[in-house]
């Protein structure tokens, strides 16, 4: 069974630009969550999508948005990039009811804003 | 969600048993305790989840006392490849969609 796939793996953007990151969950997983990891703030929850609907949202500004498609694939968008958005962005998928707190993470997208 | 407190770092040697304790004084009745492991530049990996007493799998054991205000992750006979950050999380059983990570414990295993 293929794992969670995130693309691209690395990205360099300029301040003010926008970026879209993609996540393909494990087949059959309908919950997709996004996390931001930085040395200063650690691992922080961004949002969760389930059946194309945002179900949970973390404490991030509106510049961070996402969506989920009917095949459960998800995208995350960050507009008007700031230097502080440089981070490892992680996507995770899970079965929820069947697997408790077990989520499967991708390798992440390393975003650098210059 | 209950706040967790873990040691920031720990050192060990290959072949030793490592115990990482997590405090969660405000754990709710329906909260479970879950541990994740993360290697550098990789996503976290689920290790174990439990509610009370002891849970064991092929990777680790989780000890939870009766008052559930703390828990201990036990890694038997660690190797260099167990060097990683270990996170303790507390929340509902099916919290897989919204994981709240604390600072974690950076475990360094030396030869």
């Amino acid at each position: 069974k293929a794992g969670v796939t995130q693309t691209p793996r690395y990205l360099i953007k300029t301040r003010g630009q926008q970026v879209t990151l993609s996540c393909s969950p494990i087949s059959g997983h309908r919950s997709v969550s996004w996390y931001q990891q930085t040395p200063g703030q650690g691992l922080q929850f961004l949002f969760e999508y389930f059946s194309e609907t945002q179900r949970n949202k973390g404490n991030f500004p509106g510049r961070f948005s996402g969506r989920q498609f009917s095949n459960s694939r998800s995208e995350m968008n960050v507009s008007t990039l700031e230097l502080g958005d440089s981070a490892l962005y992680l996507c995770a998928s899970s079965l929820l009811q069947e697997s408790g707190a077990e989520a499967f993470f991708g390798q992440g997208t390393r975003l650098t804003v210059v | 969600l209950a706040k967790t407190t873990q040691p920031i770092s720990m050192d060990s040697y290959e072949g030793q048993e490592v115990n990482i304790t997590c405090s969660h004084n405000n754990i709710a009745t329906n909260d479970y305790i879950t541990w994740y492991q993360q290697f550098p530049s990789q996503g976290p990996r689920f290790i174990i989840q439990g509610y009370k007493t002891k849970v064991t799998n092929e990777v680790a054991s989780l000890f939870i006392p009766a008052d559930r205000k703390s828990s201990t992750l036990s890694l038997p006979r660690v190797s260099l490849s167990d060097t990683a950050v270990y996170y303790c999380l507390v929340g509902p059983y099916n919290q897989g969609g919204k994981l709240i990570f604390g600072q974690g414990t950076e475990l360094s295993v030396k030869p």
Side-chain angles (χ1 to χ4, degrees):
Chain A
K1 209 177 202 181
V4 176
T5 304
Q6 291 187 246
T7 56
R9 290 291 311 279
Y10 303 92
L11 207 48
I12 300 176
K13 288 287 188 178
T14 305
R15 271 183 304 176
Q17 286 186 315
Q18 74 164 13
V19 67
T20 299
L21 312 181
S22 180
C23 173
S24 292
I26 291 173
S27 177
H29 287 194
R30 292 163 63 192
S31 169
V32 175
S33 304
W34 289 89
Y35 297 82
Q36 180 196 65
Q37 187 168 31
T38 60
Q41 298 298 318
L43 255 170
Q44 294 185 284
F45 170 77
L46 278 158
F47 31 66
E48 180 209 3
Y49 285 87
F50 184 84
S51 293
E52 302 179 64
T53 301
Q54 186 180 86
R55 189 157 68 168
N56 287 296
K57 189 176 189 307
N59 188 25
F60 278 81
R63 299 185 298 106
F64 292 82
S65 63
R67 59 177 175 168
Q68 187 180 33
F69 302 95
S70 58
N71 61 358
S72 292
R73 190 177 70 85
S74 177
E75 288 182 346
M76 188 194 110
N77 184 277
V78 187
S79 62
T80 319
L81 284 166
E82 300 176 0
L83 295 179
D85 296 333
S86 294
L88 179 67
Y89 289 89
L90 292 159
C91 165
S93 74
S94 62
L95 281 169
L96 293 181
Q97 300 296 339
E98 294 87 345
S99 60
E102 184 171 13
F104 296 84
F105 284 79
Q107 295 265 54
T109 294
R110 173 76 62 186
L111 172 64
T112 302
V113 182
V114 297
Chain B
L1 295 171
K3 180 180 167 61
T4 60
T5 304
Q6 308 173 229
I8 293 176
S9 64
M10 292 181 67
D11 291 329
S12 183
Y13 291 93
E14 281 191 292
Q16 288 188 332
E17 177 184 74
V18 170
N19 296 308
I20 306 175
T21 297
C22 177
S23 294
H24 29 79
N25 291 317
N26 297 321
I27 189 168
T29 303
N30 64 339
D31 282 343
Y32 281 69
I33 299 147
T34 308
W35 286 79
Y36 274 78
Q37 172 194 55
Q38 185 179 26
F39 298 113
S41 297
Q42 290 189 28
R45 182 176 74 107
F46 173 89
I47 300 176
I48 199 165
Q49 181 181 21
Y51 183 80
K52 61 180 179 180
T53 62
K54 176 183 174 182
V55 180
T56 298
N57 61 22
E58 65 278 4
V59 176
S61 294
L62 177 58
F63 297 91
I64 306 169
D67 66 5
R68 304 200 327 122
K69 293 184 183 300
S70 68
S71 58
T72 299
L73 175 73
S74 181
L75 304 172
R77 296 180 298 281
V78 294
S79 64
L80 296 176
S81 62
D82 292 315
T83 294
V85 178
Y86 292 81
Y87 294 96
C88 166
L89 293 79
V90 172
Y93 173 73
N94 57 348
Q95 68 176 309
K98 180 183 178 183
L99 298 170
I100 304 301
F101 291 86
Q103 65 182 16
T105 297
E106 189 169 0
L107 172 66
S108 177
V109 180
K110 300 173 180 164

